[in-house]
Every structure is written in C-alpha cells, then in structure tokens.
C-alpha cells in the first residue's frame, strides 16, 4: 500500500444498540444514506458488523442467533453498497473485548482479576464493560465471525475495537503461564504475559484477514497509540488516533500522540466526534468552531480526519449532524492538495516517558504533556519519539523529567552529541536505570533528592534570564540536588526556603519564603547540553507557571539560535511546518482557536479568534519563488534574507496555510 493511501474525510458510525429496541433499520433508505454522506463530503466510513451489545447487523446464517432480534433489513450490506456506489471506502467494525452477549453466554471467557472477580462493571451496573480475554476460545469465534463478514460483504477491511493487554487470571492464562514455567501470582509476570497474548492475537488476526483480502485495511483500536504499538506495527495497515477532546482525552492528547504516530511510517488519521461530550451522546452537536479546530489540527499534524457519530436505531442519519460535518469537511477538501504526501519539518525530538511509564488516553505522563504544551505554545517544531527512533536530523533532543539512560541509550546519545547535536534534560532524565548517577555530560553531578520543596530559582546568566524578572522564581515540585561538574556553567541557582512546611514549622498558607541560602545549581550548561534540576515539564502541566516556559524557551534559544519558525502573535496560536518535496514546497499551518474551561468538566471551543498583522519568519531550503495563502491562492509579498523568508499575514481568521514555493 502507498504510505499515503487513506482518504481525508472519514466518519466512524457507532451503532451499539440494545436488543429491546425495536425497528432496527426500519427507516433506512440506501440512497438517502449514501447521498447524506456524499453531500457532507465524506469519502470513508467505518460501519458496524457487530457492536458492544453483541448483536449483528447483517443477514447471516452462520450467526443467525446473534442477529439483532428486531433487525428490519440487511443493514450493513445495504450500507456498504450505498457507499461503494458513491466511491466511499467502507470498513466493517467488529467489537472484540466488549461483547455483552458473549459475556453473558460465556462468563468463563471473561478477564479475571487477581481476587477472582470479573473485571469491569458490577452485575447490576448499566454497560457492557466486562472485558473478554484474548487467550480463550473466544478467539476462534472471532475468526469465524470475521470470515463470515469477509465472505458475505464487500467491506474494504476490518476495524477491530477494544483490543488491549490485560492482567488476567482466567484458567487459560493461568495454565499458559504455568506451562511456560511462570508464576501467575506475580503481577509483573501477569502483565507481561498479557502483552504477549495481545501481540499473538493481533498478528494472528491480521494474517487471518489478509489471507482473505491481501489489501484489506486492518486496525486494532485501544483508544490510544503510543510506544507499545511499535512491537506489532506490521499488523496494522494504518493507524487511527481516537482522541475526543471533550470525551476524556482532552485537547493535549492528540498533539502528543500524533507527533509520535507520524514517526512510525504509517498513514494515519485522527478521530474526534460530533458529540458535545463523548460517544453515545445522542442529539448533541459540537460547536462548528471546535470541529474545525480539531480537524484542522489533524491536517497540520499530517493526519487525515475522522469524525465520530452514532446512527439512530431506525437507521436514519441526522441531517443536522451532516450539515455540521459537511461544513467542516468542505473546508478540509479545499486544502487536501496542500496536505497530501506532506511530511513534517522539525528541529526537535522529544523522548517520551510513556516508553518507560506507560500511558493511555486518560493517563499520559505529565512530563510529556507539559513539554508538548511548552513547545507548542512557543511554536517550536518537534516530534515525539522513543529510544528506538533514529536521532539523525534532530538539531535538539529533549529528555523531559524521567528518561532513564541505560548503556544502549547512553551510547546512542553520546554519538548524537559527538555528531553536533544538542540536548536538554531535566530532573531524573539522564540518570542510569537505578537512579544513581548521570550517564551523560550534562554538567551536573547527582547527589540525591533535593532537601527542600519548594526551592526558588534565580537566573545568574543574562541569556538564560531574558524576559524573566530579575529575582527568584518558585519551583513547587521536588527536584534533584546536584553540583556542577568541571567545565560546566551555572545558568541559575537554587535558593532554599527557611524550612520545609510541616506541623512543627510552617509559614502562612503555603510554603515559606526564600532564605537567600544556596541550595545548589538549578540549571547548568556543559557544551551543547543544558540540565534543569527541577521537573520543569511536569510542573508546567500541573499549573503552567509562565516563568517555567520562559526558562525552557531561553534554554532552547541558547542551543538552537535559528529555529525553523518564528512568529509574532499570542502563545495560544498553534503553528506547524510541513513540506511537499515533490512540489518543492514548504507549508506553514496557522491555527488560532482557544479552548476555554467555562464549565465543570470539559474545555469548550466556541469561536476562532482573529489575529491581525501576523509576522512569519521561516527557515527555508532554497530560493523562494512565492508565498501563497491556501485555499484562497492569493499571493503575499515577502522578503528573503539568506535562509529565512519573512512575510506578514494581514489577518489570521481561525486557520490559514501559507504555501512557500521554492525554485526547483
């Protein structure tokens, strides 16, 4: 398959429908269904073969007992025909680990926790969230069902949902561990075995599908994509990043996961929803500005777009929902030519703590969220990578807060520095896996955990102190206690409070003020490496002190004096730089939509905020022929000074692409 084969405008059409609801598909009309999608500019869709309630939505002899009891038509078959008649790609959705019918009929197949209880919700709770183990005969059922779907229906692939590793103590898992000489009472053993079971399942099912249709799309959804996906990446035809900002993922999740996913050499899309909140929120509508922001961010970060919806049980798409989707997808369509075959241009690689600490859609390491916020707000261009990635091409690497360095990574980073790279590390990043000593020449000698929390950081270097008040700045979280090594330069000092807050000694409502006594270096530089003793990225995610961002910006400026992009305008403005090599073109994506927390639970985007007279300075790789606004295709005056092109965008009204065309 081409590395850029996915359509840009997808819908994921949920259809989890209880057996007591009558008239399933009773009002379905194939032409109306197909035309509604086509008019909304949809060119790809995920359609349901079987949902979380366990019911099947097409006519089948092999699984007649699982057909929804009130199915009124051969729904999935007619949906597929309607889509294909209009050139819309369509895959078949199959639920995996959430399957209420199977859970009721075969409770012995459910994941068992270490106490002997079924995982998931209670017996009398609403929901289908008891998880089925992938090490049981259920897998044989899934293969038979998948074969039936592929034999009877012209789906373009299979979309497997709810597929993740489990800490399981069912009899199949206990037996399997014992046969391998493992102790199933050990939690670490169980977790590792659960990962092995998952990987075996993914490889087997992918091979099973491709043996029947070599070019089938195959995807396994777990609600998140990260370093754990690398091991079975060949089992996926592509990646889909489920990330509903108002549904529990938040607005930082997609920037984090997309900047990692795009380094894996797989075509991928981002998935949001049309819902005000999350899946199953019938008769709700996302603000159009929010859907624009989410889809345009996907384009800027090299993804295709997917919007989640849920079909009404009677089989009729809500026309107002597709007016909303169409209003956004028509704008996406107008920009596709400038997004197809595009790849990111970046200066910085950020190693993700998720490789070591794990993560999910609702539980990302705070350090990776904090560093993403700082770099995005500063408009630096960066990828998120793991230790298996190539470091070549990155001018600067950042190790945020908690990246242990073993012998293999040490050698790789030493070679990177020897080849002229630059490095920023913070807190415990750079220490050996036991946390005893630094493995890299960062200018610091590790002496243990800091004696005081908080400490107060005072810049002593003019460049590092730029745009900071010439005084101390509180750092709330516990850092490390370090001393400077020979040849290192101290950029900022730590000053201690009078005492740590406790019942015997405390001052006012929070922490004691600075005593003025040194607590050692706070920030040191050694050559092309800068080290922060504080967990500065975790701190920024926790409560976003502006001085933390400024310190990081200043450290980057000292190591990367000619960044790819410079912008005027507020820090809420997001920018991404891509290139289309075949077209000899660089592209600057500019977005200004601001999520606001004006309620108890979710961030809301209601409007885009215009920015006037936006100055853009881009580092280019050649002589510039012209700068064009997309999709308006109107030229802008520009000046080129050496390797930088400077242009002023008269007005940014939500989203703008600037196409910078270079001479061949």
């Amino acid at each position: 398959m081409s590395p850029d084969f996915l359509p840009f405008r997808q819908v994921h059409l949920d259809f989890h429908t209880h057996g007591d609801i009558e008239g399933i598909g009773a009002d379905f009309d194939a032409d109306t269904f197909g035309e509604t999608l086509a008019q909304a500019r949809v060119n790809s869709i995920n359609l349901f073969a079987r949902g979380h309630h366990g019911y099947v939505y097409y006519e089948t002899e092999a699984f007649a007992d699982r057909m929804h009891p009130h199915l009124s038509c051969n729904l999935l078959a007619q949906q597929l025909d309607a889509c294909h008649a209009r050139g819309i790609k369509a895959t078949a959705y199959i639920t995996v680990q959430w399957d209420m019918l199977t859970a009721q009929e075969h409770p012995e197949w459910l994941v068992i926790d270490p106490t002997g209880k079924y995982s998931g919700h209670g017996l009398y709770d609403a929901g289908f969230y008891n998880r089925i183990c992938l090490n049981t005969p259920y897998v044989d059922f899934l293969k038979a069902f998948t074969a039936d779907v592929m034999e009877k229906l012209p789906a373009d692939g299979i979309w497997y949902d709810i597929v993740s590793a489990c800490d399981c103590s069912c009899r199949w898992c206990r037996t399997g561990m014992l046969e391998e000489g493992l102790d199933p009472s050990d939690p670490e053993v169980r977790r590792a075995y659960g990962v092995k079971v998952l990987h075996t399942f993914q490889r087997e099912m992918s091979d099973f599908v491709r043996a029947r249709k070599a070019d089938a799309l195959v995807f396994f959804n777990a609600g998140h994509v990260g370093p754990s996906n690398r091991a079975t990446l060949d089992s996926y035809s592509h990646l889909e990043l489920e990330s509903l900002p108002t549904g529990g993922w938040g607005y930082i999740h997609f920037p984090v996961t997309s900047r990692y996913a795009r380094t894996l050499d797989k075509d991928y899309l981002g998935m949001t929803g049309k819902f005000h909140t999350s899946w199953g929120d019938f008769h709700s509508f996302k603000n159009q500005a929010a859907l624009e922001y989410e889809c345009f961010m996907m384009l800027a970060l090299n993804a295709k777009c997917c919007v989640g919806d849920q079909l009404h049980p009677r089989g009729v798409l809500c026309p107002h929902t597709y007016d909303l989707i169409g209003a956004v997808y028509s704008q996406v369509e107008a920009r596709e030519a400038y997004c197809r075959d595009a790849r990111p241009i970046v200066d910085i690689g950020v190693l993700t703590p998720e490789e070591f600490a794990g993560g999910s859609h609702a539980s990302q390491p705070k350090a990776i969220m904090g560093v993403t916020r700082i770099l995005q707000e500063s408009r630096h261009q960066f990828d998120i990578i793991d230790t298996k990635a190539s470091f070549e091409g990155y001018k600067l690497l950042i190790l945020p807060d908690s990246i242990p360095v073993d012998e293999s990574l040490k050698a790789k980073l030493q070679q990177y520095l020897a080849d002229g790279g630059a490095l920023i590390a913070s807190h415990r990043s750079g220490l050996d896996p036991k946390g005893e000593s630094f493995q890299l020449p960062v200018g610091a000698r590790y002496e243990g955990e800091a004696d005081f929390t908080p400490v107060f950081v005072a810049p002593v270097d003019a460049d590092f102190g730029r745009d900071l008040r010439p005084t101390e700045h509180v750092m709330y979280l516990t850092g490390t206690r370090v001393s400077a090594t020979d040849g290192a330069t101290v950029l900022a000092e730590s000053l201690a409070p009078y005492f740590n807050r406790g019942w015997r000694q405390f001052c006012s409502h929070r922490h004691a003020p600075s005593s003025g006594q040194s607590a050692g270096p706070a920030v040191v530089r050694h050559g092309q490496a800068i080290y922060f003793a504080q967990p500065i990225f975790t701190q920024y995610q926790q409560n976003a002190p502006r001085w933390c961002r400024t310190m990081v910006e200043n450290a980057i400026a000292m190591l990367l004096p000619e960044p790819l992009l410079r912008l005027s305008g507020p820090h809420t403005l997001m920018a991404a730089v891509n290139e289309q090599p075949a077209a000899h073109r660089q592209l600057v994506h500019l977005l200004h939509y601001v999520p606001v927390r004006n309620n108890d639970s979710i961030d809301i985007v209601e409007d885009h905020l215009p920015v006037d007279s936006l100055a853009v300075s881009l580092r280019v790789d050649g002589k510039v022929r012209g700068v064009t606004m997309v999709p308006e295709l109107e030229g802008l005056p520009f000046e080129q000074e050496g390797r930088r092109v400077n242009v002023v965008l008269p007005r940014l009204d939500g989203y703008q692409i600037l196409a910078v065309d270079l001479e061949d």
Side-chain angles (χ1 to χ4, degrees), residues 260-319:
Y260 176 78
R262 70 185 186 181
T263 70
L264 298 177
D265 198 29
K266 288 279 185 183
D267 202 5
Y268 82 101
L269 57 80
M271 179 190 293
T272 184
K274 73 92 183 180
F275 314 102
H276 181 68
T277 59
S278 194
W279 298 109
D281 185 4
F282 285 104
H283 310 293
S284 74
F285 302 91
K286 177 162 286 179
N287 298 326
Q288 182 173 324
L291 191 58
E292 288 176 353
Y293 177 46
E294 292 156 23
C295 289
F296 297 160
M297 187 187 300
M298 294 172 197
L299 296 183
L301 296 177
N302 313 102
K304 311 301 173 50
C305 304
C306 179
V307 178
D309 182 27
Q310 179 146 350
L311 183 65
H312 189 278
R314 297 189 70 83
V316 178
L317 295 170
C318 170

Side-chain angles (χ1 to χ4, degrees), residues 16-46:
H16 305 295
T17 307
H18 195 275
D20 289 347
I21 298 179
E22 299 182 353
I24 303 302
D27 296 335
F28 177 79
D29 179 83
D31 285 337
T32 301
F33 179 82
E35 283 304 304
T36 299
L37 295 174
Q39 289 298 315
R41 317 312 297 160
V42 174
N43 58 6
S44 178
I45 190 168
N46 299 327

Side-chain angles (χ1 to χ4, degrees), residues 185-246:
S185 70
D186 185 333
E188 291 299 321
V189 167
R190 291 196 308 273
R191 282 191 283 270
Y193 188 76
V195 171
K196 179 181 177 180
V197 167
L198 170 67
H199 291 173
T200 298
F201 172 81
Q202 290 174 317
R203 293 185 180 106
E204 285 185 2
M205 294 306 295
S206 181
D207 291 345
F208 187 84
V209 171
R210 287 166 171 165
R212 286 155 179 76
K213 181 177 172 60
D215 63 348
L217 298 173
V218 183
F219 179 68
F220 302 92
N221 185 48
H224 176 68
V225 170
S228 63
N229 293 88
R230 186 184 280 277
T232 54
L233 202 57
D234 289 346
S235 300
Y236 299 76
S237 60
H238 65 290
L239 298 173
E240 302 197 19
L241 275 56
E242 183 180 5
S243 188
L244 280 64
T246 56

Side-chain angles (χ1 to χ4, degrees), residues 480-484 490 492-494 518-524 531 533-534:
T480 57
R481 186 176 72 253
V482 299
S483 56
V490 176
E493 285 279 0
S494 292
S518 175
V523 186
V524 296
Y531 170 76
Q534 309 302 318

